[in-house]
Amino acid sequence: MNILFIMYDQLRFDYLSCAGHPHLQTPNFDRVAEMGVRFTNAYVQSPICGSSRMSYYTGRYPSSHGAQWNNFPLRVGELTLGDHLRKLDMDCWLIGKTHMHADAEGMERLGLDPDSVIGARQAECGFDVFIRDDGLWAQGIAGYYDESRSPYNEYLKEKGYTDSDNPWADHANAGVKERNKIASGWMYENADRPAHIHEADSETAWLTSRTIDFMKQAKGKWCAHVSYIKPHWPYIVAAPYHNMFGPDHVPAPLRDEVEQEDTHPVFKGYMDNQVGQAFQRDEVRQKVIPAYMGLIKQCDDHLGRILDYLEETGEIKDTMIVLTSDHGDYLGDHWMGEKSLFHDQSAKVPMIIYDPRRPANATRGTTCDALVESLDIAATFVEAAGGDVPAHILEGRSLLPLLNGERPKWREFLISEFDYSASPVGGTLAEEYCLKPKDCRLFMVFDGRWKMMHAEGGFRPMLFDLQNDPEEFHDLGKTDAHADVIARLYDYLAQWGRRMSQRVTKSDEDIENMRGKAGFKGVLPFMYDGSEVPRPLIKHYVGKAPKLPDAKD
Amino acid sequence: MNILFIMYDQLRFDYLSCAGHPHLQTPNFDRVAEMGVRFTNAYVQSPICGSSRMSYYTGRYPSSHGAQWNNFPLRVGELTLGDHLRKLDMDCWLIGKTHMHADAEGMERLGLDPDSVIGARQAECGFDVFIRDDGLWAQGIAGYYDESRSPYNEYLKEKGYTDSDNPWADHANAGVKERNKIASGWMYENADRPAHIHEADSETAWLTSRTIDFMKQAKGKWCAHVSYIKPHWPYIVAAPYHNMFGPDHVPAPLRDEVEQEDTHPVFKGYMDNQVGQAFQRDEVRQKVIPAYMGLIKQCDDHLGRILDYLEETGEIKDTMIVLTSDHGDYLGDHWMGEKSLFHDQSAKVPMIIYDPRRPANATRGTTCDALVESLDIAATFVEAAGGDVPAHILEGRSLLPLLNGERPKWREFLISEFDYSASPVGGTLAEEYCLKPKDCRLFMVFDGRWKMMHAEGGFRPMLFDLQNDPEEFHDLGKTDAHADVIARLYDYLAQWGRRMSQRVTKSDEDIENMRGKAGFKGVLPFMYDGSEVPRPLIKHYVGKAPKLPDAKD
């Protein structure tokens, strides 16, 4: 079996028709959901691209892998999906985005040449690269955000988009306005214009074509991480997707005045930041959300191309498909934009898994509300590839039992983390509350009903009761009324904090096999006279005393 | 300045005359204490050789470096003292024991050749090896406990100890009994015999000579880790040290019947194990403790040789000296033998530091009761070598301010850990209580007065009040009477559990410098029309729209 691990960037859990969106039809997502299982309680380990992805790729919490923010390098030697799958004779390919930043200092310290196979895999988060393109070719007075080469920009130039140095910015992510001026997708006012590009050349179309190219030539057993930049901002989309949706399709923002009262300082920091302020404006939501929906509709159509290819070739019978995202998008809900905190709009993601094998027939077309963490994906793939999950390294659990309709005892809570130390809000709060970078961290504990957010630095917790307040408007951490619930969730967090996450060189099995073995190697530090152990164990320590040489200098 | 980082193995904090031992005179330890500061509240991060040492060498908690038991490999790439000091132009040499087990699998995965300089340092925990000899050449039916070469055995053979294959076992750690039979030091009944070796050839003498050899030839700035195996078992010592002390010098065991009542299951497991049972016998203590004292007395005499050398050469004015241990030895106290739990006999160590520089004049000959963790040593050395402590990697604090008589706000609690999953007691308890290896873990939280031990696996905590019960006989965790203290210490443990330990590729300074910089690289995901930022920031996103090429296939 091969694995197609498809990730969209910033795709909200509820912007799919199978998840109940009232206006957005996504028949191809729905088609996979019909073939497999849609997990309705899937959360990412961190609501920020880089950190979330490193958790998907390592199967470990941000606090375990250490790459807690975009562009924090994943330290050299940290084990990844590629390491685990290649051991099982499954190749592990990348087609698209990872947000991986190599630990250049660590690689140099260990003498790893980035041009060697080992070095390249270290630098690429364990993947072999078919295409690497992170899709953020932003450009400013300090240069490019991403200084690597952009295969997508190279492609556009080959296709004749030669009138700009950065056709990603000027074509794929910009329209045209009055007097033939560029209408940059970075500005929300332009989000309703068509991108200045032929749809067939847009990022989503391009990456889909590369994915099909990959499958046509792929040999052996493989896992391919197909990783789209969209529907991530800049919010602008090529025709005909730019006007499929309009202000009538924009739901009212999920926000409540009560959220503005006695607001938790970190929440307030994000409400009040520039993107929060922007998404509080109706005209922003009315321009952006239809574009966001158009981008998703486009993703859905191109997903259809992949599914059609798999069906035409028959490979669908031998390919596991995972559809997910690295985090959501507030889109003005809770007075916020972007991601960051742990409301469902941000931390919950779509998670649809199709397993072609017979045992999964038991669950096709169903949903599953077990508490799923994004790091379960790595464990799932290891098991799908025929391996035993190395539980001393991978912190997640394989979802295969759930896909097969079993009902194993499942986790009671899940954890997500957010390190905002490097963000501008971190700077503001650090100043206001004398926080050090290590204090700029948030933890979510969610038990399926109660969701608590703990912030380091001496703040009170936030608490939501998703049973009675599914919109997460009422922060019950403002009073002591739910101290018992809060204490219970803090106990979960403490239990998690003590987890064994770094004993990566010894498995449980190794340890069980070690017990008591030192005695067979002569380590017997408990004997009075040797009668304590069977005679053969001490045979090296009895017998004739050897001759003592004469004393010399 | 150079650094002489001298470690003894299994040396109890209170078996020195400067620490108040009534019978054992250790004038050379005392001499260093007179020249420097003796820390009276210094605890190791784990009361077991390998794990404790990895914390000294990495400056990180066992849960952070992952090598939580003897021979659990320290994973490849984990930063060590050697990495930090060499950056500051200080070499880092090993003379003696580390208990390091190389991560051979990780090294192979990264293509590191153990014979290359980088590979050798990875395999040797960051040290350059002058001498590596772990001093445990035990031999049994399954072969040697340690399969590396033993420079000490080679030395003995060169010196004429050729009548045995393993002169470490048959000479240095054995005597001779009736009918010229070997009297193995592995059996306590032989502990009062002289070891069958010339004292000048014994392990402590040999390693001291190698240390002086090292200093004679050393160039440049260096830190030398001089790491003795003694007074670690086998408990037997060469003449004249074998009969300097006798049963009259053996204190009554520090144990109380109350400890046998309603005993915590893990404590009981260790009381009841073979070594615990052995040390409950008077004849064991009366044979072993005089030998243990003789071994320490011998260490003290040889420390004198090192100090004399430093004084004769004048290097004493330019050499920091640290005397410490990797853990203690119960010696029958608390009904136990060996180390393992967190009573002071096990987890507290001698910690004497002499800093030759002028600011330390303020404190010479004093003691300091600040809560010191063994991982503070790495931070101290980095600062002593002129560096800034990389607080995102090293979890300890430099002790230099304390040596200089400053009174900085200090930590409120310290943590020690013990992973007993691989021990026979782990096996027994695992069976009895259905524990998985990850449940076989203990944590100590100590705030200077209250010492709590938490055990994973659903057990109650243990609690001692060292103010009213300095002998630690009365486990206050047996009732709910101190629930408030226990809750406070659990809060400390939870706080520690959430610490930032793996963000090793980004310093706090890096992070502060990152804040808000993405905007200068064109990432501006909050603009409605561009008026939100100064004009130069959007210059790449305005201007004339580029020409769209014709649509092609």
Side-chain angles (χ1 to χ4, degrees):
Chain A
M1 187 173 68
N2 298 320
I3 300 173
L4 211 44
F5 169 28
I6 305 180
M7 184 175 287
Y8 300 91
D9 198 316
Q10 199 140 336
L11 175 60
R12 261 174 76 141
F13 76 99
D14 56 352
Y15 270 59
L16 299 174
S17 43
C18 55
H21 197 285
H23 303 299
L24 179 60
Q25 294 305 312
T26 50
N28 291 299
F29 279 91
D30 299 5
R31 189 170 153 195
V32 181
E34 273 305 308
M35 292 156 59
V37 174
R38 186 167 63 84
F39 291 91
T40 57
N41 261 324
Y43 287 81
V44 286
Q45 258 47 67
S46 186
I48 173 82
C49 296
S51 181
S52 173
R53 287 160 182 272
M54 295 308 120
S55 284
Y56 272 108
Y57 308 151
T58 62
R60 291 158 61 74
Y61 292 99
S63 280
S64 302
H65 62 61
Q68 276 142 317
W69 184 259
N70 292 339
N71 304 324
F72 283 13
L74 184 72
R75 69 163 162 214
V76 68
E78 184 73 8
L79 286 153
T80 57
L81 255 186
D83 293 307
H84 298 294
L85 295 182
R86 278 189 293 268
K87 258 193 186 172
L88 302 167
D89 290 323
M90 179 179 271
D91 291 333
C92 193
W93 288 95
L94 171 67
I95 306 164
K97 169 170 177 169
T98 60
H99 226 128
M100 168 70 182
H101 199 89
D103 177 10
E105 195 179 321
M107 287 178 62
E108 194 183 334
R109 192 170 64 243
L110 294 183
L112 300 184
D113 178 354
D115 291 331
S116 66
V117 172
I118 289 172
R121 285 174 177 166
Q122 284 296 314
E124 294 291 357
C125 199
F127 291 106
D128 286 322
V129 172
F130 187 77
I131 294 275
R132 162 86 187 261
D133 193 297
D134 276 9
L136 262 187
W137 307 102
Q139 208 174 350
I141 53 177
Y144 275 92
Y145 172 72
D146 183 341
E147 287 174 357
S148 30
R149 61 175 272 258
S150 163
Y152 178 61
N153 259 342
E154 289 168 13
Y155 162 84
L156 288 182
K157 287 175 189 172
E158 270 175 34
K159 293 283 277 188
Y161 294 80
T162 50
D163 195 24
S164 156
D165 281 346
N166 186 355
W168 175 89
D170 299 337
H171 286 284
N173 288 283
V176 180
K177 59 184 177 184
E178 303 72 28
R179 294 182 297 166
N180 201 34
K181 291 276 196 154
I182 198 164
S184 171
W186 285 104
M187 297 166 206
Y188 302 142
E189 69 168 354
N190 300 322
D192 57 350
R193 297 180 190 270
H196 188 38
I197 193 166
H198 302 296
E199 193 278 329
D201 297 331
S202 66
E203 290 162 279
T204 298
W206 169 73
L207 202 76
T208 304
S209 300
R210 296 297 76 74
T211 301
I212 293 169
D213 291 346
F214 168 82
M215 293 191 287
K216 281 183 179 160
Q217 56 79 58
K219 305 243 182 318
K221 229 172 32 161
W222 50 260
C223 169
H225 179 42
V226 178
S227 186
Y228 292 97
I229 179 65
K230 293 299 169 189
H232 191 284
W233 42 256
Y235 302 106
I236 192 164
V237 61
Y241 297 100
H242 74 293
N243 63 4
M244 283 187 182
F245 307 97
D248 289 351
H249 303 111
V250 174
L254 283 165
R255 67 190 186 201
D256 194 292
E257 293 295 336
V258 74
E259 297 179 281
Q260 300 272 10
E261 296 162 17
D262 191 15
T263 311
H264 190 285
V266 183
F267 186 11
K268 185 160 167 44
Y270 277 93
M271 268 184 194
D272 290 353
N273 75 357
Q274 287 174 302
V275 69
Q277 295 286 307
F279 272 92
Q280 288 172 30
R281 294 163 62 179
D282 284 345
E283 66 271 33
V284 169
R285 298 184 73 255
Q286 282 170 13
K287 293 249 185 183
V288 165
I289 292 177
Y292 181 73
M293 292 166 70
L295 287 165
I296 296 168
K297 183 73 187 168
Q298 183 187 18
C299 287
D300 186 76
D301 284 342
H302 287 279
L303 173 59
R305 290 173 59 202
I306 292 175
L307 298 177
D308 290 348
Y309 173 86
L310 290 170
E311 286 187 354
E312 283 157 22
T313 57
E315 290 177 41
I316 194 98
K317 292 190 187 121
D318 198 35
T319 306
M320 170 177 269
I321 303 173
V322 174
L323 305 177
T324 190
S325 176
D326 56 350
H327 54 75
D329 192 326
Y330 277 103
L331 295 173
D333 294 344
H334 305 290
W335 312 90
M336 283 176 63
E338 275 267 67
K339 45 266 182 183
S340 300
L341 301 193
F342 303 112
H343 298 94
D344 277 1
Q345 289 79 10
S346 172
K348 187 165 167 173
V349 287
M351 180 69 75
I352 302 171
I353 305 184
Y354 159 67
D355 182 339
R357 295 169 300 177
R358 190 170 308 169
N361 289 348
T363 59
R364 303 201 188 285
T366 65
T367 59
C368 174
D369 66 357
L371 295 177
V372 167
E373 300 190 303
S374 57
L375 43 69
D376 294 333
I377 290 299
T380 303
F381 289 175
V382 167
E383 202 178 31
D388 291 324
V389 176
H392 60 304
I393 304 171
L394 296 180
E395 301 189 283
R397 291 185 59 171
S398 166
L399 301 174
L400 294 189
L402 301 176
L403 292 172
N404 294 345
E406 296 165 27
R407 294 182 168 278
K409 188 167 164 4
W410 201 249
R411 63 170 63 88
E412 290 178 292
F413 63 92
L414 49 75
I415 298 283
S416 186
E417 303 184 62
F418 187 64
D419 178 333
Y420 63 98
S421 59
S423 78
V425 174
T428 312
L429 289 171
E431 201 160 320
E432 197 170 343
Y433 294 93
C434 286
L435 303 183
K436 293 186 176 163
K438 73 173 175 53
D439 299 322
C440 297
R441 293 170 74 204
L442 308 177
F443 298 85
M444 174 186 89
V445 189
F446 179 52
D447 73 356
R449 172 177 173 183
W450 301 96
K451 189 190 280 186
M452 184 180 78
M453 181 193 83
H454 163 74
E456 292 290 300
F459 300 109
R460 68 164 175 85
M462 288 172 72
L463 179 73
F464 298 99
D465 175 359
L466 273 71
Q467 185 172 302
N468 292 309
D469 175 29
E471 291 83 9
E472 305 177 82
F473 291 149
H474 301 280
D475 175 2
L476 304 173
K478 292 175 188 173
T479 73
D480 289 336
H482 294 82
D484 55 335
V485 175
I486 288 174
R488 186 169 55 83
L489 297 180
Y490 265 113
D491 274 351
Y492 285 147
L493 183 59
Q495 180 183 325
W496 173 83
R498 297 190 306 265
R499 78 198 180 282
M500 172 77 84
S501 70
Q502 305 302 325
R503 197 198 68 202
V504 294
T505 61
K506 280 281 174 192
S507 70
D508 282 10
E509 200 185 348
D510 290 338
I511 286 172
E512 283 162 350
N513 289 336
M514 276 177 85
R515 281 179 191 152
K517 294 289 165 64
F520 297 110
K521 295 183 170 180
V523 177
L524 300 161
F526 52 77
M527 299 186 294
Y528 185 75
D529 56 16
S531 64
E532 296 82 355
V533 296
R535 189 80 183 169
L537 283 185
I538 55 165
K539 74 164 182 174
H540 287 280
Y541 303 137
V542 293
K544 202 168 134 281
K547 191 173 161 297
L548 187 70
D550 295 336
K552 290 179 226 173
D553 283 337
Chain B
M1 188 172 68
N2 298 320
I3 300 173
L4 211 44
F5 169 28
I6 305 181
M7 184 174 288
Y8 299 92
D9 198 315
Q10 198 140 334
L11 174 60
R12 260 173 78 141
F13 77 100
D14 56 351
Y15 269 60
L16 299 174
S17 43
C18 56
H21 197 282
H23 303 298
L24 179 60
Q25 294 305 311
T26 50
N28 292 298
F29 279 91
D30 298 5
R31 191 170 153 194
V32 181
E34 273 306 307
M35 293 156 60
V37 174
R38 186 167 64 84
F39 291 91
T40 58
N41 260 325
Y43 288 80
V44 286
Q45 257 47 64
S46 186
I48 173 80
C49 296
S51 180
S52 173
R53 287 160 181 273
M54 296 308 119
S55 284
Y56 272 107
Y57 308 151
T58 62
R60 291 158 61 73
Y61 293 99
S63 280
S64 301
H65 62 61
Q68 275 142 317
W69 184 258
N70 291 338
N71 304 324
F72 284 13
L74 183 73
R75 69 165 161 210
V76 69
E78 184 73 8
L79 286 153
T80 57
L81 257 185
D83 292 308
H84 298 295
L85 295 182
R86 279 190 292 269
K87 257 193 187 172
L88 302 166
D89 290 323
M90 180 180 270
D91 290 332
C92 194
W93 288 94
L94 171 67
I95 305 165
K97 169 171 177 169
T98 59
H99 226 129
M100 169 70 182
H101 198 89
D103 177 9
E105 194 179 323
M107 287 178 63
E108 194 185 333
R109 191 171 63 244
L110 294 183
L112 299 184
D113 178 354
D115 291 331
S116 66
V117 171
I118 289 171
R121 285 174 176 166
Q122 284 296 313
E124 294 291 357
C125 198
F127 291 106
D128 286 323
V129 172
F130 187 76
I131 294 276
R132 162 84 188 262
D133 192 298
D134 276 8
L136 262 186
W137 306 103
Q139 208 174 348
I141 53 177
Y144 276 92
Y145 171 72
D146 183 340
E147 287 173 356
S148 30
R149 61 176 272 257
S150 163
Y152 178 61
N153 259 342
E154 289 168 13
Y155 162 84
L156 289 182
K157 287 176 188 170
E158 270 174 33
K159 293 284 277 185
Y161 295 80
T162 51
D163 195 23
S164 157
D165 282 346
N166 186 356
W168 174 88
D170 298 337
H171 286 284
N173 288 284
V176 181
K177 60 183 177 184
E178 302 72 28
R179 294 183 295 167
N180 201 34
K181 290 279 194 150
I182 198 163
S184 171
W186 284 105
M187 297 166 206
Y188 301 143
E189 69 168 355
N190 300 323
D192 57 350
R193 297 179 191 269
H196 189 40
I197 194 166
H198 302 297
E199 193 277 330
D201 297 332
S202 66
E203 291 162 281
T204 298
W206 169 73
L207 202 75
T208 304
S209 300
R210 296 297 76 74
T211 300
I212 293 170
D213 290 348
F214 168 81
M215 292 192 289
K216 282 184 177 158
Q217 56 79 57
K219 305 241 185 319
K221 229 171 32 158
W222 50 261
C223 169
H225 179 42
V226 178
S227 186
Y228 291 99
I229 178 64
K230 292 300 169 188
H232 190 284
W233 42 257
Y235 303 105
I236 193 164
V237 61
Y241 297 101
H242 73 293
N243 63 2
M244 281 187 184
F245 307 96
D248 288 351
H249 302 111
V250 175
L254 283 166
R255 66 189 186 201
D256 194 294
E257 294 294 337
V258 75
E259 296 179 282
Q260 301 271 11
E261 295 162 17
D262 192 15
T263 312
H264 190 285
V266 183
F267 186 11
K268 186 160 165 45
Y270 276 94
M271 270 184 193
D272 291 353
N273 75 358
Q274 287 173 304
V275 70
Q277 295 285 308
F279 272 91
Q280 288 172 29
R281 294 164 62 179
D282 284 345
E283 66 272 32
V284 168
R285 296 184 75 252
Q286 283 171 12
K287 293 248 185 183
V288 164
I289 292 176
Y292 183 72
M293 290 167 72
L295 288 165
I296 296 169
K297 184 72 186 166
Q298 184 188 21
C299 287
D300 186 76
D301 284 342
H302 286 280
L303 173 59
R305 291 173 60 203
I306 292 175
L307 297 177
D308 290 348
Y309 173 86
L310 290 170
E311 286 187 354
E312 282 157 22
T313 57
E315 290 177 42
I316 194 97
K317 294 191 185 117
D318 198 34
T319 307
M320 170 177 270
I321 303 173
V322 174
L323 305 177
T324 190
S325 177
D326 57 349
H327 54 75
D329 191 326
Y330 276 103
L331 295 172
D333 293 346
H334 304 291
W335 312 91
M336 281 176 64
E338 275 267 67
K339 45 266 183 185
S340 300
L341 300 196
F342 303 112
H343 299 94
D344 277 1
Q345 289 79 9
S346 172
K348 187 164 166 172
V349 287
M351 181 68 74
I352 302 171
I353 306 184
Y354 159 66
D355 183 337
R357 295 170 300 178
R358 190 171 308 170
N361 289 348
T363 59
R364 301 202 189 284
T366 65
T367 59
C368 175
D369 67 357
L371 296 177
V372 166
E373 299 191 303
S374 57
L375 44 68
D376 294 334
I377 289 298
T380 302
F381 290 176
V382 167
E383 203 179 29
D388 292 324
V389 176
H392 60 303
I393 305 172
L394 296 180
E395 300 189 283
R397 290 186 59 171
S398 167
L399 301 174
L400 294 190
L402 301 176
L403 293 172
N404 295 345
E406 297 165 24
R407 295 184 168 276
K409 188 168 163 3
W410 201 251
R411 62 169 65 89
E412 291 177 290
F413 63 93
L414 49 74
I415 298 283
S416 186
E417 303 183 62
F418 187 64
D419 178 333
Y420 64 98
S421 59
S423 79
V425 175
T428 312
L429 289 171
E431 201 159 320
E432 196 170 345
Y433 293 94
C434 286
L435 303 183
K436 294 185 176 164
K438 73 174 175 51
D439 299 322
C440 297
R441 293 171 75 205
L442 307 177
F443 298 84
M444 174 186 88
V445 188
F446 179 52
D447 73 356
R449 172 177 173 183
W450 301 96
K451 189 190 280 185
M452 183 180 79
M453 182 193 83
H454 163 75
E456 292 289 301
F459 300 109
R460 67 164 175 85
M462 288 172 71
L463 179 73
F464 298 99
D465 174 359
L466 273 71
Q467 185 171 300
N468 293 310
D469 175 29
E471 292 84 8
E472 305 176 84
F473 290 149
H474 301 280
D475 176 1
L476 304 173
K478 291 176 187 173
T479 72
D480 289 337
H482 294 82
D484 54 335
V485 175
I486 288 174
R488 185 169 55 82
L489 297 180
Y490 266 113
D491 274 352
Y492 285 148
L493 183 59
Q495 182 183 323
W496 173 83
R498 297 189 306 265
R499 78 198 179 282
M500 172 77 84
S501 71
Q502 305 301 326
R503 198 199 67 202
V504 294
T505 60
K506 279 281 174 191
S507 70
D508 282 11
E509 200 185 347
D510 289 339
I511 286 171
E512 283 161 352
N513 289 335
M514 276 177 84
R515 281 178 190 150
K517 294 289 165 63
F520 297 110
K521 296 184 170 178
V523 177
L524 300 160
F526 51 78
M527 300 186 292
Y528 185 75
D529 55 16
S531 63
E532 296 82 355
V533 296
R535 188 82 183 164
L537 283 184
I538 54 165
K539 75 163 182 173
H540 287 281
Y541 304 137
V542 291
K544 201 168 137 281
K547 190 174 163 295
L548 186 70
D550 294 337
K552 290 180 226 174
D553 284 337

